[in-house]
């Protein structure tokens, strides 16, 4: 999306330099048990990372805060006035629209048209109930109309999830291309069969009051990923609030410009057996003018839609320090070295929390300059946050306390009902393919070149 609310490049300011400084956290039930309690605890964590929040001239104006959770299926069944297929066989899009009715309906028509063109069906719309009474005076004029669209068309959840990814990409670029009126107030927060994002230009304590759904006892989830943005040098907008569709992030990605350029350069050379012809429809993967985290989120989303596992994609985007690291075992180093040719590292300082609705986790980049700690309780609760002491949990209930370490991944798999440690994740990835063998076949090292090597000679087929 184009951010209509960001000023144009001028003087020393460039919208491309937007960075975030923030608080991030999540709470999850390891065994995947859904409850309203998780949503409430997520909102509590959000309030507890508030003390560093930036408050300007308008004390009621936040820089953005939000919560990502699993789709509250039972709640929606009671709330909507149309029939929903079984859980996993429909998706929900959470969308921001301009307040202007004619602009909104023109944009809704585009949303509907793309869904139908792509072979899915629209079950219906729902206007999200909000309470704007506590919004700051400076925020009120920017408040969007927030609507949910319910989409079905396949009983294959993996297929439907990928299709929804393709659809939200097409809608975004079509709205941009057609320069629709109100486009700067249009944004797709999430579109998934598994997760939904409630966010906005809100203060942490406003999220649960503004979105009335979140206060409803029937709204249940096994995960709540939360984020509050305290911007130091950024222009707050509703769409730039985190969480994004898969991540929330504390810190900044300093290599962002290069990463974005590389992703654009790959456009022609990418292919995907899973996405097939749909791959051509989703460009640009990273729309212009987004924050560093939004760019990262777009890339992760593409990789997961294209068939990478969540942990594999994250380990490629934020690799460990493998180069010249004698302490790392050879298989693991070969894995990183091979993948370094496919994806450049997105380097921080960054702590990133991520989820696809089935797994939730967090990791620090290899520099490890952003603190993040976690605890696990005897009743299967995991709490992770950029500050400690965010939930009041009695000491005797805590069975593990630790912190995230540079390059290491902390991952909970709700379907397997366990925490998967970094060693297991990395050895699974490293042993999935004979990476060293592939490197030996396909790598040409400059130091081994003789003067008469023909660099233009085509590589043997098996070297790729």
């Amino acid at each position: 999306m184009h951010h209509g609310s960001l000023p144009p490049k001028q003087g020393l300011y460039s919208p491309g330099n937007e960075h975030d400084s923030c608080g991030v956290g999540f709470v999850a039930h390891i065994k995947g048990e859904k409850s309203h309690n998780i949503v409430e605890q997520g909102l509590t964590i959000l309030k507890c990372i508030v003390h560093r929040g930036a408050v300007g001239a308008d004390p009621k104006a936040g820089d953005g805060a939000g919560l990502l959770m699993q789709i509250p299926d039972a709640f929606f069944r009671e709330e909507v006035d149309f029939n929903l297929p079984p859980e996993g066989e429909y998706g929900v899009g959470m969308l921001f629209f301009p307040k202007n009715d004619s602009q909104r309906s023109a944009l809704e028509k585009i949303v509907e048209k793309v869904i139908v063109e792509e072979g899915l069906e629209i079950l219906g719309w729902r206007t999200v109930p909000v309470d704007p009474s506590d919004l700051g005076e400076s925020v009120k004029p920017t408040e969007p109309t927030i609507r949910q669209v319910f989409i079905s068309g396949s009983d294959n959840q993996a297929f439907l999830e990928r299709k929804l990814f393709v659809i939200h990409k097409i809608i975004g670029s079509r709205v941009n291309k057609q320069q629709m009126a109100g486009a700067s107030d249009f944004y797709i927060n999430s579109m998934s069969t598994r997760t939904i994002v409630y966010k906005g230009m809100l203060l942490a304590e406003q999220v649960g009051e503004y979105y009335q759904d979140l206060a409803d006892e029937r709204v249940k989830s096994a995960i709540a990923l939360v984020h509050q943005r305290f911007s130091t040098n950024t222009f707050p907008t509703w769409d730039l609030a985190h969480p994004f569709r898969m991540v929330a992030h504390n810190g900044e990605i300093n290599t962002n410009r290069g990463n974005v350029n590389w992703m654009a350069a790959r456009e022609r050379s990418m292919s995907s057996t899973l996405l097939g012809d749909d791959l051509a429809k989703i460009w640009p993967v990273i729309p212009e003018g987004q924050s560093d985290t939004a760019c990262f989120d777009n890339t992760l989303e593409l990789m997961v839609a294209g068939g990478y596992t969540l942990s594999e994609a994250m380990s490629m985007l934020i690799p460990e320090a493998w180069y010249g690291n004698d302490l790392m075992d050879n298989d693991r180093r070969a894995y990183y070295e091979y993948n370094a040719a496919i994806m450049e590292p997105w380097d921080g300082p960054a702590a990133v929390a991520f989820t696809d609705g089935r797994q939730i986790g967090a990791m620090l980049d290899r520099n490890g300059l952003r603190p993040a700690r976690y605890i696990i309780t005897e009743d299967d609760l995991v709490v992770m946050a950029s500050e400690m002491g965010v939930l009041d949990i009695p000491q005797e209930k805590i069975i593990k306390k630790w912190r995230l370490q540079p390059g290491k991944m902390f991952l909970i798999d709700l379907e397997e009902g366990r925490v998967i440690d970094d060693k297991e994740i990395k050895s699974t990835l490293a042993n999935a393919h004979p990476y060293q063998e592939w490197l030996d076949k396909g790598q040409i090292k400059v130091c081994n070149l003789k003067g008469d090597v023909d660099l233009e000679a085509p590589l043997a087929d098996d070297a790729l």
Side-chain angles (χ1 to χ4, degrees), residues 349-415:
V352 181
F354 54 90
T355 183
D356 62 358
R358 293 173 299 183
Q359 292 184 324
I360 186 165
M363 66 186 297
L364 289 186
D365 74 312
R366 51 195 173 177
N367 305 309
L369 296 171
R370 283 289 181 271
R373 302 170 186 282
Y374 63 87
I375 57 167
I376 299 173
T377 69
E378 60 186 17
D379 45 8
D380 290 321
L381 215 57
V382 177
V383 182
M384 190 290 296
S386 47
E387 271 104 47
M388 230 24 222
V390 290
L391 280 185
D392 201 7
I393 290 172
Q395 285 297 330
E396 64 273 13
K397 280 191 131 181
I398 297 172
I399 53 175
K400 181 169 184 187
K401 261 187 181 177
W402 196 231
R403 58 185 175 80
L404 292 185
Q405 295 171 290
K408 301 276 188 277
M409 198 179 300
F410 173 56
L411 188 70
I412 298 117
D413 188 307
L414 305 180
E415 289 180 352

Side-chain angles (χ1 to χ4, degrees), residues 111-168:
V111 171
E112 292 179 346
K113 196 167 183 298
V114 173
I115 291 168
V116 173
E117 274 173 16
E118 290 302 310
L120 298 184
E121 54 201 78
I122 297 139
L123 297 166
W125 288 86
R126 171 180 185 251
T127 299
V128 180
V130 296
D131 174 4
S133 58
D134 198 42
L135 289 184
E137 286 311 309
S138 62
V139 178
K140 277 185 181 139
T142 68
E143 187 195 9
T145 294
I146 305 170
R147 303 260 283 158
Q148 287 161 344
V149 60
F150 291 75
I151 306 160
S152 70
S154 171
D155 56 6
N156 176 337
Q157 189 171 11
F159 168 80
L160 193 54
E161 190 68 21
R162 270 196 306 279
K163 209 62 192 164
L164 293 174
F165 162 71
V166 171
I167 284 169
H168 88 66

Side-chain angles (χ1 to χ4, degrees), residues 246-247 300 304 307-317 354-361 409 411-412:
M246 296 186 85
V247 306
L300 177 63
V304 171
Y308 285 98
T309 64
L310 193 55
S311 53
E312 187 176 19
M314 284 299 299
S315 71
M316 287 169 68
L317 291 163
F354 54 90
T355 183
D356 62 358
R358 293 173 299 183
Q359 292 184 324
I360 186 165
M409 198 179 300
L411 188 70
I412 298 117

Side-chain angles (χ1 to χ4, degrees), residues 163-182:
K163 209 62 192 164
L164 293 174
F165 162 71
V166 171
I167 284 169
H168 88 66
K169 286 291 185 200
I170 297 173
I171 293 169
S173 57
R174 197 168 293 181
V175 167
N176 267 347
K177 272 200 195 90
Q178 297 183 8
Q179 297 181 327
M180 307 272 301

